[in-house]
């Protein structure tokens, strides 16, 4: 009997020495940060913290579609980013949990100042993960962080929170994770770009009232961590043929007599081939292969559609290169390709950190288009 009593006492003493859950918090008593906006105004950092409550956005069979989801935005300011974030913590009624941060939006003012301090501060905080999507914007930060999705769903159901191309909402540019941006920030020859996001107020109506929706409207280009310039979505049309991750993009194909066809492409491939000339210059040949499905043929033959599509793609690539050249941007990452294949020559051409591409740098643009399907309508191959 004494033996069993002794065992029980030992177990009770051991249980008393274990750490308890007294300091743990219920999940409903925490504020979950889902997006962070950072601006730099009048010599100070200004931060915008988007906070959502999971009880309002959780999906269940009782979810009322279209019910408005409140979005809370906390703001703070300070001489450093850390002080600005602490300024918001001081007035938060619940502890802020950063483990669900999914997107970071940077203003143009901040990017002109440089983003190294921003990344250094955020990456020191153990709750923030590396796979956070990063965007730039020209819009007001309050508008971006309070934008809802279609059917008044929460911001988590918008393209700002997913890296995958959502049908045709992101036809040319794929969202970038923060860890990839950091890894490429100091890479020689890497013309880093960051997608820019805006609110399109011209497409959707709720009854008769206009409703804005997120849209990627361009990209910011960087060199050695410094902002170089911005290119619009129209100027970046040629970039889609260098982005293999693009699942769907539609090309309008000009035909005879002012008519047009349409071909939907997916996962195009581009190969950049640097060729050193006898005078020491480098020309870059581009080889593109793309497979597509006919969406509108206007009774044109498949060989004609393929030929016309190849010409249209060539022109898009050349136009994007011309605009990028004028803005000192390298959307096709030609400099990086040279650095990987001919590092010594690359360092010679970039001595002093100069942008060495010019109008003669673009060589032959070879495009091969293959139509693999005519859709549900079975056309006769002529």
């Amino acid at each position: 009997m004494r033996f069993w009593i002794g065992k029980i006492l030992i177990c009770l003493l051991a249980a008393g020495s274990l750490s308890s859950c007294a300091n743990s918090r219920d999940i409903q008593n925490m504020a979950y940060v889902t997006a962070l906006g950072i601006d730099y105004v009048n010599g100070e950092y200004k931060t915008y913290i988007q906070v959502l409550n999971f009880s309002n956005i959780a999906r269940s069979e009782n979810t009322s579609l279209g019910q408005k989801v409140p979005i809370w935005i906390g703001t703070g300011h300070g001489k450093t980013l850390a002080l600005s974030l602490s300024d918001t913590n001081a007035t938060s009624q619940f502890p802020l949990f950063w483990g669900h941060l999914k997107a970071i939006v940077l203003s143009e003012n901040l990017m002109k100042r440089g983003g190294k301090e921003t990344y250094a501060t955020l990456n020191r905080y153990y709750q923030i993960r590396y796979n956070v999507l990063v965007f730039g914007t020209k819009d007001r930060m309050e508008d971006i962080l309070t934008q809802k999705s279609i059917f008044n769903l929460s911001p988590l159901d918008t393209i700002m929170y997913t890296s995958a191309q959502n049908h045709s909402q992101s036809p040319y540019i794929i969202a970038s994770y923060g860890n990839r941006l950091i890894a490429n920030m100091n890479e020689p020859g890497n013309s880093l770009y960051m997608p820019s996001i805006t609110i399109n107020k011209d497409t959707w109506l709720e009854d008769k009232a206009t409703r804005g929706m997120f849209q990627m409207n361009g990209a910011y280009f960087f060199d050695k961590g410094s902002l170089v310039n911005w290119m619009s979505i129209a100027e970046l049309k040629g970039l889609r043929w260098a982005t293999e991750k693009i699942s769907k993009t539609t090309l309008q194909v000009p035909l005879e007599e002012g008519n047009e066809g349409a071909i939907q492409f997916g996962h195009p491939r581009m190969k950049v081939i640097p060729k050193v000339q006898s005078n020491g210059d480098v020309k870059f040949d581009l080889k593109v292969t793309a497979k597509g499905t006919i969406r509108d043929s206007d009774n044109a033959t498949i060989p004609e559609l393929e030929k016309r599509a190849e010409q249209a793609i060539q022109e898009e690539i050349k136009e994007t290169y011309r605009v990028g050249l004028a803005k000192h941007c390298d959307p096709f990452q030609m400099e990086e390709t040279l650095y990987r294949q001919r590092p010594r020559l690359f360092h010679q051409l970039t001595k002093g950190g100069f942008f060495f591409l010019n109008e003669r740098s673009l060589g032959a643009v070879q495009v091969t288009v293959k139509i693999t399907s005519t859709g549900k309508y079975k056309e006769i191959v002529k």
Side-chain angles (χ1 to χ4, degrees):
M1 183 60 124
R2 290 180 180 178
F3 175 76
W4 289 109
I5 292 175
K7 276 197 168 185
I8 292 173
L9 289 174
I10 291 173
C11 291
L12 290 175
L13 289 172
S17 65
L18 294 175
S19 59
S20 66
C21 298
N23 293 327
S24 65
R25 296 182 180 273
D26 295 331
I27 59 173
Q28 68 270 19
N29 293 332
M30 299 186 73
Y32 294 91
V33 180
T34 51
L36 171 64
I38 309 175
D39 197 358
Y40 192 80
V41 183
N42 298 327
E44 285 190 329
Y45 287 90
K46 188 167 185 181
T47 52
Y48 301 79
I49 298 175
Q50 180 193 82
V51 178
L52 296 178
N53 189 301
F54 285 167
S55 63
N56 293 333
I57 62 176
R59 297 290 184 86
S60 68
E61 59 183 10
N62 297 322
T63 301
S64 178
L65 190 64
Q67 180 180 0
K68 291 187 177 181
V69 177
I71 301 174
W72 286 77
I73 306 293
T75 60
H77 58 87
K79 289 294 183 181
T80 66
L81 179 57
L83 290 175
S84 182
L85 293 173
S86 298
D87 190 38
T88 307
N89 282 324
T91 55
S92 176
Q93 306 304 297
F94 288 158
L96 297 177
F97 180 73
W98 292 83
H100 291 287
L101 180 67
K102 295 181 178 295
I104 297 175
V105 185
L106 308 178
S107 72
E108 273 196 357
N109 288 336
L110 180 74
M111 289 184 285
K112 289 176 182 177
R113 176 179 171 79
K116 291 185 178 180
E117 182 180 351
T118 301
Y119 293 129
T121 301
L122 294 178
N123 287 329
R124 289 180 188 275
Y125 197 48
Y126 66 92
Q127 287 185 349
I128 298 179
R129 297 171 295 175
Y130 292 105
N131 57 340
V132 177
L133 295 172
V134 183
F135 302 91
T137 189
K138 297 174 178 287
D139 293 12
R140 294 175 67 249
M141 206 64 73
E142 296 94 329
D143 295 338
I144 293 293
L145 295 185
T146 55
Q147 178 61 42
K148 296 182 175 66
S149 184
I150 194 170
F151 306 130
N152 285 320
L153 295 175
S154 78
L156 298 183
D157 295 296
T158 62
I159 63 174
M160 198 174 81
Y161 292 86
T162 174
S163 63
Q165 185 190 19
N166 190 2
H167 299 294
S168 61
Q169 297 183 28
S170 171
Y172 310 145
I173 302 172
I174 299 295
S176 300
Y177 282 116
N179 58 345
R180 298 306 309 160
L181 294 174
I182 295 171
N184 294 332
M185 185 69 71
N186 296 315
E187 279 291 305
N190 195 314
S191 186
L192 172 69
Y193 77 84
M194 177 192 301
S196 65
I197 198 166
T198 188
I199 299 174
N200 185 325
K201 299 180 180 179
D202 302 325
T203 305
W204 288 91
L205 298 174
E206 183 183 1
D207 296 328
K208 293 184 179 180
T210 59
R211 290 291 180 264
M213 292 293 157
F214 278 133
Q215 178 184 14
M216 292 190 195
N217 65 333
Y220 292 96
F221 285 81
F222 296 80
D223 183 33
K224 298 181 180 66
S226 300
L227 179 64
V228 175
N229 219 319
W230 178 81
M231 293 181 66
S232 69
I233 195 74
E235 295 168 341
L236 288 170
K237 273 189 176 182
L239 181 61
R240 54 179 166 172
W241 310 113
T243 310
E244 191 175 350
K245 288 184 179 180
I246 287 183
S247 58
K248 294 179 182 179
T249 186
T250 301
L251 174 70
Q252 297 294 326
V253 182
L255 301 172
E256 295 180 354
E257 299 179 358
N259 298 325
E260 287 189 338
I263 303 175
Q264 181 177 281
F265 293 93
H267 306 291
R269 292 186 178 185
M270 174 182 286
K271 185 176 182 180
V272 180
I273 306 171
K275 293 184 177 181
V276 183
Q277 308 299 300
S278 57
N279 60 357
D281 290 341
V282 181
K283 282 187 176 292
F284 295 87
D285 291 347
L286 305 181
K287 288 188 178 181
V288 177
T289 56
K291 297 180 181 179
T293 300
I294 294 177
R295 288 291 174 255
D296 186 3
S297 67
D298 197 47
N299 294 322
T301 64
I302 288 180
E304 181 183 0
L305 284 170
E306 291 176 339
K307 181 180 178 180
R308 298 278 183 154
E310 291 171 353
Q311 295 171 349
I313 292 173
Q314 285 177 347
E315 186 52 40
E316 282 190 1
I317 292 172
K318 291 178 181 179
E319 180 61 24
T320 295
Y321 177 78
R322 284 193 291 265
V323 176
L325 192 63
K327 295 186 175 184
H328 282 197
C329 300
D330 181 16
F332 301 115
Q333 296 183 321
M334 295 177 177
E335 290 188 342
E336 182 194 9
T337 302
L338 183 64
Y339 170 71
R340 300 298 177 190
Q341 298 184 16
R342 302 288 296 273
R344 182 176 297 180
L345 178 60
F346 168 81
H347 287 299
Q348 290 177 357
L349 293 174
T350 57
K351 190 175 182 180
F354 296 112
F355 182 80
F356 70 84
L357 296 178
N358 54 52
E359 62 277 1
R360 300 182 304 277
S361 298
L362 182 62
V365 180
Q366 179 182 339
V367 181
T368 303
V369 169
K370 179 66 176 178
I371 293 176
T372 58
S373 174
T374 59
K376 288 193 298 183
Y377 182 79
K378 303 302 179 184
E379 294 189 59
I380 300 176
V381 180
K382 300 178 183 179

